[in-house]
Amino acid sequence: MGLFDRHAGLLEAYRDVRTTGADPFQIRMERVLSPTEAVINGRKTLLVGTNNYFGLTFDPSCMEAAIEAIRAEGTGTTGSRIANGSYSEHVFLEEEIAAFYGKKHCMVFTTGYQANLGVISTLVGQGDHLLIDADSHASIYDACKMTQAEVVRFKHNDPSSLESRLRRLGDKPGNKLVILEGIYSMLGDSAPLKEFVEVCKKYGAYVLVDEAHSLGALGETGRGLCESTGVLDDCHFIVGTFSKTLGAIGGYCVSNDPDFDILRVTVRSYMFTASLPPSIVASVRQALRVVKARPELRKQLWDNVATLYDGLAAQGFKLGPEHGPVVGVHLPDRMLAIGFWRAMLDAGIYVNVAVPPATPNGVSLLRCSVCAAHTPEQLQHMVEVMTGIGRQLGVISGAPKLRVVAGSR
Amino acid sequence: MPDPGTGEPLLRTAHQLIVENDDIANTLELPRLTTRLDVIREICHHLAPYQAGERPIIGATVIAKDLTIDSLAIMDMVMELEDRFDVSIPMNVVAEIHTVDQLADTILDLRAKR
Ligand SMILES: Cc1ncc(COP(=O)(O)O)c(C=O)c1O
């Protein structure tokens, strides 16, 4: 058997995608013009699938901070946090994030993926119990493979499903750790966190919340779902990323546990990879200041979410269950999703396409992510384009308007 | 009808309340009354949509191979079975289960240990 034989099925399905047109998984951004526009296939394209919720990738103050840091400290640290890769700036960043959440401790990782992978797999071990939401991100599933703890899934966003699993554990020994997400990355829905926290308290379970998509977007000061639902003090661990709202790359975990720092010499994804380069640390520190100083970005984001979500809903598209910075548009199957995606790209709009097995319940989605920097006109245009394509492809009904909505090649 | 697992007469299944002796049946606890047949039936009910062609689903059916079900759908089915039979099957245990028989045995073992 050849090394790639086990992927035969996937190769076959992938060939179908590649031979019929543009490959949604190999799009090249030829030139990025702004948080909302890039050149793709030689033409200017509206970006509505970049997780760049506040549009900070081109924030002048963040860019200047990064440039300055490169001049002062060079391009990379060439070492891990436990060797030569801890600069004063890494420590300052950790202090600032801890202070932002009002927690005592923070560890910064090179990606959010590594934060989840390392923290979750290290917090629980042999004899412990890890309970995860069925729609958890890949980084959480991968952490499950790395721990000796017993892992049980509960139904997505269903506190009673979690409760029955905690109840069944009875008086079995071992710690219990429950993993939740602030905003789920495919459909943009939020966890009923208050209810979940109640259940966890009742059964003495620890709570870890991944605020990857909710940092900046939720809460009065942008701290995420923990803040907006008033349970910041009840969440033992909060994980997040710098790769979305903060416009860079990196991950973090904050906690009040007095022994938290022991993770610095036990979490392998922290110990055995190089630390973030100075430029990233500098731009993230500045981005965090911007998040605190400019709450209007949060309002702009949600106004834009309403424009897109309500606009698409009014045309009859089937969407995720609630407003969120991620707007997931349901399509009947994989090839239709890819066809729809290609038609949108031809019309000058880029979104993500998400198909099984990367999606919950085997659904096929166009995954749109909204940016505070989008103009209402850009999003209204997108609704028109999607309405036209949706009618052409028979995804939505309704009398076609007498105008051409799809762009020409 | 005798229980194929224990050979004892089947008083009732959770699906169909075949009550042969009212007084006794009502005092018995559900755990003892869930039979292997109940479990197999429930598994087959969940797997039916994934049947490949005409081949029937039997105890020896290899779930991930002989059917059209993907790994995520298997995990979702397990979640339904967990709630139906009030047991939790850890993911590492699920990974070791290949056939319908093994899945049924796992559920029955976990029920017995409760
Ligand atoms: C829920 C969730 N957690 C973690 C991550 C990982 O983030 P990063 O890009 O920092 O690795 C992502 C990003 O895809 C995510 O959606």
Side-chain angles (χ1 to χ4, degrees), chain A residues 105-126:
Chain A
H105 307 281
C106 173
M107 270 169 81
V108 160
F109 293 77
T110 306
T111 68
Y113 175 89
Q114 289 167 338
N116 269 340
L117 193 70
V119 169
I120 296 170
S121 65
T122 308
L123 283 174
V124 286
Q126 185 94 48

Side-chain angles (χ1 to χ4, degrees), chain A residues 213-257:
Chain A
H213 295 269
S214 34
L215 171 63
L218 292 176
E220 202 167 329
T221 62
R223 287 179 285 183
L225 186 67
C226 294
E227 182 181 22
S228 65
T229 57
V231 295
L232 206 50
D233 293 338
D234 299 311
C235 296
H236 304 87
F237 305 95
I238 295 168
V239 172
T241 176
F242 306 147
S243 74
K244 304 183 197 297
T245 299
L246 300 183
I249 188 170
Y252 61 89
C253 178
V254 296
S255 172
N256 265 341
D257 194 292

Side-chain angles (χ1 to χ4, degrees), chain A residues 151 153 165 167-168 359, chain B residues 75-76 82-83 86-87 91:
Chain A
V151 185
R153 296 163 87 226
R165 280 151 184 78
R167 173 181 52 75
R168 280 176 212 142
T359 51
Chain B
M75 291 201 293
D76 288 343
E82 286 179 330
D83 288 334
D86 200 26
V87 292
M91 276 169 66

Side-chain angles (χ1 to χ4, degrees), chain A residues 132 134 141 144 148-156 161 164-165 167-169 356-357 359-362, chain B residues 70-72 74-93 110 114:
Chain A
I132 68 167
Y141 273 101
C144 293
Q148 301 292 309
E150 289 198 339
V151 185
V152 172
R153 296 163 87 226
F154 54 87
K155 287 186 184 163
H156 175 56
S161 178
S164 52
R165 280 151 184 78
R167 173 181 52 75
R168 280 176 212 142
L169 288 176
T359 51
N361 304 315
Chain B
D70 64 34
S71 57
L72 189 63
I74 292 177
M75 291 201 293
D76 288 343
M77 170 186 72
V78 165
M79 219 158 42
E80 296 294 336
L81 293 169
E82 286 179 330
D83 288 334
R84 170 69 182 73
F85 295 110
D86 200 26
V87 292
S88 294
I89 315 175
M91 276 169 66
N92 61 318
V93 174
L110 286 168
R114 293 183 317 167

Side-chain angles (χ1 to χ4, degrees), chain A residues 7-18 334-335 338:
Chain A
H7 304 295
L10 187 59
L11 277 168
E12 195 59 38
Y14 200 38
R15 192 168 297 126
D16 282 352
V17 171
R18 294 169 91 167
R334 170 197 299 261
M335 282 320 275
I338 289 170

